[in-house]
Amino acid sequence: MEIQKSETPSQATGRAAMKKELPKHYQDHRHVWVFIELERGQVHPVSLELLGEGRKLADKLGVQLAGVVVGPRDGVGTGPAIADAFAYGADLAYLIESPLLVDYRNEPFTKALTDLVNCHRPEILLLGATTLGRDLAGSVATTLQTGLTADCTELDVDVDGSLAATRPTFGGSLLCTIYTLNCRPQMATVRPRVMAMPQRVAKPIGRVIRHDLMMVEEEIVTKVLGFLSDSQSEDANLAYADVVVGGGLGLGAAENLQHVKVFARTIGGEFGCSRPLVQKGWMPFDRQIGQTGKTIRPKLYVAAGISGAIQHRVGVEGADLIVAINTDRNAPIFDFAHVGVVADAIRFLPALTEALTRRLAPRDHMKLVN
Ligand SMILES: Cc1cc2nc3c(=O)[nH]c(=O)nc-3n(C[C@H](O)[C@H](O)[C@H](O)COP(=O)(O)OP(=O)(O)OC[C@H]3O[C@@H](n4cnc5c(N)ncnc54)[C@H](O)[C@@H]3O)c2cc1C
C-alpha cells in the first residue's frame, strides 16, 4: 500500500506515479462491489450511500456494480436488501443465505465475503464504516491480504483505473490519497452520511447470483447468547437527523447545554456537541460531531459557541444550511456558515427559543426546514 499527499487522482506523482504492473493473478479482477449491511433486518442507509458512489466508480471503469447481501436463509431482510441494491443502482446482487448468518458474527460473515471475492474477483469492495463494517472489512482485508483504506471522504479512479481513496490524516490537518497497488480487491470503508444519498433508479432490474456458505456451526467459535437492544438508552440518531443543534466550549459550563437541548427540542431537532464537551464529560460520545464523532447532513445545523475547527467542519459541511452563533466575529466557523450571528449564545438561544415557542405551534417546526 502506498501513501501520497492529496492531489487530483489523474495527476498522481511521486510513488503513486511509479506503480508497478499488477501481478498477473490479479489482472482478471473486475467490477465494483458494495456490501449491503443489514441491521436487525433493515438495510443500513450507509450501504445505499455507497451504492451511489459505487455506481460512479463502475461507470468510470466501464464495469458492473454489484450489491453483496449476506443473511439468514428464511430471508429476513435479504429480499428487501436485494430490491434496495437494484433500486439504488446495482446491476447484480450476490446472495448468501444461511441460518448461521442470523446475527452478525465475524467468522461466518468473513468466510461468506472472502469466498465470494475469491470466486468472482471484484476489483473494488466498499463497506460502511459502521461497527459491523469496520469489524468485517478488517478481517476480510487481512484474510485476503489486500489493502483497506478506512473512513474515506472521497473515492475516485485515477488514469490507470486504480481506486484513489482519500481520507483525512494527521488529525484532519491533511488529506491523503491512498492506493492499493499490488493486491486486489481494493477495499475502502466510508462513514455514514459522508456520501450523499443517491436517487432511486426509475425501473430497477438486476440479476441475483446465489452462493452457499461453506461452513458449519461447529467451526464458529463465537456464539450469540442474546441480543440486548439499546433502544432504552439516550442514543442519538444524529447522523440522519434533519435538524441538529450543536453546542461548543463557548457555552462555558455544562448547565448551559440545557439551552442547546431546549432549543433543539423546540425546532424538532437532535442536539450534539464539539469534542471538548465530550472530553469534559458534559455530553456522551455518541453526541460528538466531527471527524472522530458523527458526520451529519441535516437540512439545518445550528452551531452555538463552536469555533469551527477543521475537525468539526468536516463533520458538518454537508449540511444544507449552517447557522453559527459566536461572540467572535473572526471565528473560523463564519468562513463556512451560511448565516452568522455575532452574539452570546447563552443569552441568544433562550431568547430565540422563547420567540419561536410564541410564534410556532410544535407541529409547525417542519416549516423551518422545508
Ligand atoms: C485528532 C483530532 C480529532 C478531533 N476530532 C474532533 C471532532 O470529531 N469534533 C470536534 O468538534 N472537534 C474535534 N477535535 C478538536 C478540534 O480541533 C477543536 O479543538 C474543537 O472542535 C474545538 O471545540 P469548540 O469549538 O467547542 O471550542 P473552541 O475552539 O474553544 O471554541 C469556542 C468558541 O466559542 C466562542 N464563544 C465563547 N463564548 C461564547 C459565547 N458566550 N457565545 C457564543 N460563542 C462563544 C469562541 O469565540 C470560540 O470561537 C479533534 C482534534 C484532534 C486533534
Side-chain angles (χ1 to χ4, degrees):
M1 202 150 69
E2 301 284 330
I3 301 180
Q4 68 162 76
K5 198 167 145 283
S6 176
E7 45 195 290
T8 320
S10 58
Q11 295 169 335
T13 55
R15 295 164 82 189
M18 297 189 292
K19 284 181 206 165
K20 292 182 234 137
E21 198 184 345
L22 192 65
K24 268 208 162 40
H25 59 283
Y26 287 129
Q27 287 182 5
D28 61 344
H29 279 247
R30 287 280 175 284
H31 310 303
V32 179
W33 285 14
V34 172
F35 175 75
I36 310 294
E37 180 175 333
L38 284 168
E39 199 180 32
R40 314 301 307 164
Q42 301 290 316
V43 173
H44 195 296
V46 72
S47 306
L48 310 180
E49 293 156 14
L50 284 177
L51 283 166
E53 287 307 297
R55 184 71 266 165
K56 289 182 215 159
L57 298 175
D59 289 346
K60 279 188 185 169
L61 289 164
V63 298
Q64 292 194 312
L65 173 66
V68 179
V69 177
V70 171
R73 195 182 292 282
D74 60 8
V76 178
T78 52
I82 286 172
D84 271 356
F86 296 144
Y88 286 88
D91 303 299
L92 69 155
Y94 293 100
L95 172 65
I96 295 192
E97 286 179 311
S98 161
L100 305 188
L101 300 167
V102 173
D103 292 296
Y104 175 71
R105 290 182 290 173
N106 180 276
E107 303 105 307
F109 274 69
T110 300
K111 172 80 175 146
L113 204 46
T114 51
D115 279 0
L116 278 177
V117 167
N118 285 328
C119 186
H120 295 282
R121 308 175 75 73
E123 55 190 312
I124 293 173
L125 172 56
L126 308 177
L127 297 92
T130 57
T131 309
L132 186 159
R134 286 172 201 269
D135 185 65
L136 181 61
S139 61
V140 168
T142 48
T143 307
L144 295 169
Q145 299 198 329
T146 189
L148 164 66
T149 308
D151 293 351
C152 298
T153 52
E154 203 182 321
L155 299 170
D156 205 347
V157 283
D158 74 358
V159 274
D160 71 356
S162 301
L163 177 69
T166 301
R167 56 152 298 151
T169 187
F170 291 109
S173 53
L174 215 67
L175 289 175
C176 70
T177 299
I178 300 179
Y179 295 88
T180 298
L181 298 183
N182 301 318
C183 313
R184 289 293 181 269
Q186 305 156 95
M187 290 182 61
T189 64
V190 178
R191 296 193 315 164
R193 283 304 225 179
V194 168
M195 304 300 183
M197 183 64 76
Q199 296 288 321
R200 287 177 73 94
V201 174
K203 287 183 184 155
I205 44 161
R207 194 160 51 98
V208 180
I209 300 172
R210 284 179 176 271
H211 271 255
D212 291 328
L213 178 67
M214 306 303 283
M215 202 175 205
V216 291
E217 182 63 43
E218 289 65 36
E219 292 174 77
I220 306 171
V221 178
T222 315
K223 308 291 171 203
V224 177
L225 304 179
F227 178 78
L228 296 180
S229 166
D230 62 2
S231 59
Q232 298 304 313
S233 82
E234 232 202 344
D235 270 4
N237 189 19
L238 273 185
Y240 289 92
D242 276 342
V243 178
V244 176
V245 184
L249 264 188
L251 292 169
E255 54 268 25
N256 289 331
L257 283 172
Q258 201 51 29
H259 302 313
V260 169
K261 292 180 187 175
V262 173
F263 180 61
R265 202 164 52 232
T266 305
I267 60 172
E270 284 279 2
F271 60 90
C273 65
S274 61
R275 184 164 89 155
L277 274 58
V278 175
Q279 289 169 326
K280 282 178 175 290
W282 294 357
M283 280 227 198
F285 174 67
D286 66 354
R287 297 276 175 184
Q288 181 182 319
I289 301 167
Q291 185 195 322
T292 43
K294 299 253 164 63
T295 299
I296 59 172
R297 272 180 182 270
K299 292 178 179 167
L300 171 65
Y301 176 52
V302 181
I306 292 179
S307 60
I310 181 68
Q311 295 89 355
H312 190 81
R313 178 176 180 163
V314 295
V316 304
E317 58 193 354
D320 291 346
L321 181 69
I322 300 175
V323 177
I325 307 160
N326 200 301
T327 44
D328 176 6
R329 64 176 59 247
N330 296 314
I333 198 152
F334 291 136
D335 295 342
F336 61 94
H338 304 98
V339 178
V341 182
V342 179
D344 176 355
I346 302 162
R347 293 170 56 205
F348 186 78
L349 279 180
L352 191 57
T353 304
E354 199 190 317
L356 287 173
T357 309
R358 255 189 278 121
R359 287 194 196 178
L360 292 176
R363 66 178 179 283
D364 287 343
H365 73 265
M366 286 307 288
K367 284 180 187 165
L368 288 174
V369 294
N370 285 334

